[in-house]
Amino acid sequence: MPDLGGNHVIATADEPDHGVHRAIAQPRLAPKVVAALEERIVGWTHEAFGPWVAAGGGDFAAIAELIPALAVAHVLGLPAGDVSRHRTWAMMGGDILSGTMGPAQLVKLATESGQMAEYLGEHLDAHAGRAGADGASPTDVPMLASLAFAVEQGSISRIQAVGIAVVMFGAAGESTAALIGSCGLRLAESPDLAATLRAEPELIPRFIEEVVRLE
């Protein structure tokens, strides 16, 4: 595997580095900031489901992977037009760790991983100078801008910044897609449960927590 800079960042970093990385990333993931994305995510969901419903259904996995990829790209500050690449990259972690890949497939995944890190590095550099400009706070700018600012300030190295972006990209995309898929499967298998949630939407958060626990 290429050195993506993600070997010792966020969850795999020791203190004091872990505290530094967490302080950079956490403001952009604060509950109020994430909640503010709801309207945008609902819009993406309607756009994705429109053709799916019109076609009478189909493979749900594509939608389950698309929405988190759009959300992660938005939080990081990546162009939405690259979502097909984002979706591929966000789902690679499970493939790499699955233990079912042959040598040729592993080489392909390693190549894709290197391309992802290069892509994130280019966009990191493009965001340089945005955080801190005109008093912008970490929650006002994409995470890549916050990471670029931290590099400029000497808090982290550029390779650590790319590594944090790689971790955020894969961890947020794949785990969320798996949760959406598990929720969809549970609802498809339990029409009565689906009807209950439609009638009592305030139960949906508890349903999601249970799917996280069970699946």
Side-chain angles (χ1 to χ4, degrees):
M1 293 292 291
D3 182 2
L4 307 181
N7 293 341
H8 301 290
V9 296
I10 301 290
T12 55
D14 293 324
E15 295 292 3
D17 291 341
H18 175 72
V20 173
H21 302 168
R22 186 177 66 249
I24 296 167
Q26 208 160 26
R28 199 61 185 81
L29 300 171
K32 287 185 179 180
V33 179
V34 173
L37 295 175
E38 182 175 358
E39 184 177 353
R40 188 184 299 269
I41 293 172
V42 168
W44 290 331
T45 304
H46 280 295
E47 288 178 14
F49 267 111
W52 190 84
V53 172
D59 185 2
F60 179 64
I63 295 175
E65 294 176 6
L66 174 65
I67 305 304
L70 286 166
V72 172
H74 177 77
V75 169
L76 284 171
L78 299 169
D82 292 344
V83 69
S84 61
R85 301 177 76 186
H86 301 161
R87 180 184 158 198
T88 297
W89 290 336
M91 299 303 293
M92 287 194 309
D95 292 335
I96 292 171
L97 298 173
S98 68
T100 62
M101 299 288 104
Q105 291 168 306
L106 286 173
V107 169
K108 182 178 179 180
L109 288 170
T111 301
E112 284 285 347
S113 297
Q115 292 174 353
M116 174 180 63
E118 183 178 352
Y119 171 90
L120 291 172
E122 290 171 357
H123 284 279
L124 172 75
D125 296 339
H127 279 286
R130 288 191 61 184
D134 300 323
S137 74
T139 59
D140 295 329
V141 297
M143 190 179 294
L144 281 173
S146 298
L147 291 169
F149 183 70
V151 173
E152 293 163 14
Q153 297 297 303
S155 302
I156 57 174
S157 66
R158 183 181 181 277
I159 196 168
Q160 286 176 319
V162 172
I164 292 171
V166 168
V167 170
M168 292 293 176
F169 207 100
E174 188 172 33
S175 59
T176 310
L179 171 59
I180 293 171
S182 295
C183 287
L185 179 61
R186 285 271 170 179
L187 293 173
E189 291 176 338
S190 307
D192 290 345
L193 174 59
T196 297
L197 294 179
R198 289 191 184 97
E200 302 178 68
E202 65 274 11
L203 297 177
I204 291 174
R206 289 170 59 187
F207 163 71
I208 293 171
E209 290 296 328
E210 276 297 276
V211 174
V212 171
R213 185 179 68 83
L214 290 167
E215 304 292 349

